[in-house]
Amino acid sequence: NAATARIYGLEGEFTAQPVRDLTLSVNASWLHARFRRYITADQARPGGDGVTTDPDSGVPAFDLSGNTLPQSPNYTINLAVEYAIRLPNGAVTLRGESSWSDRVYFSPFNRDIVSQPAYDLQNAFISYEREDSPLRIALFIKNIRNKTIMSAGQVNSTLVGSPVVGFVQPPRTFGMTLGYRF
C-alpha cells in the first residue's frame, strides 16, 4: 500500500547590501508536494469515506490522491534586516527577522484539526563584538508576539476517543548567547 507522490517547487534566496552595514535578506519558496496515488484507512474514522476500500485488506479507507504531503507548506517567506553600528573598538549589530508559512498538515489526511494554519513569527537580536577580543555577546527575543504555533500533531487511538495530540514551538523566549572566536 505504498503511496506515490509528485514533488516540485521553486526556492529563491536574495541578499542585498544597499548601503554599508545594512543587509537585507529574502528567502521564499513554493512547494507542490501532492500524493498521486494513496489509498489507506484512518483508525480515527473506521468507516472510511463511504466509497473507497483498501485494495489489500478490503477495509473502508480514504483515497488521498491530490492531498498535500505532511510537513509541506505550499509557500514560505523569510525576511531579515541587519544593521551594524560601528564603534571605535567594535560593532553593535541589530537584526530583525520575520517568517511566514502557509498551512502545514501533519498527516496525509489533510484534516484542519491536525494542521497548523498559516502563521507569521518575528525574532529580534542585538549583539556586540569587539575587534580586539574573540568574545561576542548577543541578546535575543524569539516569537515576539508569543504566538502558539503547532509543530507536529497526530490523532491517537480510537480506544481513548481519538484525541489529537501534538507539539508546539517555543513561546516568547528571551535569552543571551556568548560566543568565542578561535
Side-chain angles (χ1 to χ4, degrees):
N1 191 15
T4 60
R6 176 169 286 154
I7 303 169
Y8 54 89
L10 293 171
E11 181 177 0
E13 298 181 15
F14 307 94
T15 301
Q17 196 167 21
V19 295
R20 183 176 184 222
D21 301 325
L22 176 65
T23 304
L24 308 171
S25 301
V26 176
N27 301 327
S29 68
W30 165 66
L31 179 64
H32 182 88
R34 304 287 187 271
F35 288 109
R36 291 183 69 193
R37 187 174 56 245
Y38 189 23
I39 295 176
T40 190
D42 182 358
Q43 70 173 1
R45 297 176 291 165
D49 61 14
V51 177
T52 310
T53 57
D54 186 316
D56 297 326
S57 65
V59 301
F62 290 86
D63 183 353
L64 305 182
S65 301
N67 281 13
T68 301
L69 272 64
Q71 298 286 358
S72 302
N74 291 322
Y75 301 97
T76 60
I77 300 171
N78 299 295
L79 307 170
V81 176
E82 186 172 290
Y83 185 71
I85 302 167
R86 298 194 184 271
L87 303 173
N89 294 331
V92 171
T93 302
L94 306 171
R95 180 177 175 87
E97 300 173 344
S98 183
S99 60
W100 178 86
S101 176
D102 198 6
R103 180 178 292 276
V104 178
Y105 291 104
F106 303 125
S107 88
F109 296 100
N110 287 187
R111 297 180 65 202
D112 286 350
I113 195 168
V114 190
S115 72
Q116 168 60 52
Y119 67 92
D120 61 291
L121 182 70
Q122 288 75 39
N123 303 316
F125 305 83
I126 183 169
S127 63
Y128 175 71
E129 190 169 4
R130 286 182 57 103
E131 292 174 0
D132 60 352
S133 172
L135 292 176
R136 180 176 192 255
I137 185 168
L139 302 172
F140 64 83
I141 178 172
K142 296 181 180 180
N143 192 357
I144 292 172
R145 295 188 298 154
N146 201 28
K147 288 191 167 189
T148 301
I149 301 168
M150 287 186 61
S151 59
Q154 68 182 32
V155 177
N156 271 348
S157 173
T158 54
L159 295 174
V160 291
S162 301
V164 175
V165 297
F167 296 94
V168 293
Q169 290 187 15
R172 180 183 302 128
T173 306
F174 299 90
M176 178 179 78
T177 59
L178 293 173
Y180 187 87
R181 186 173 8 129
F182 291 97

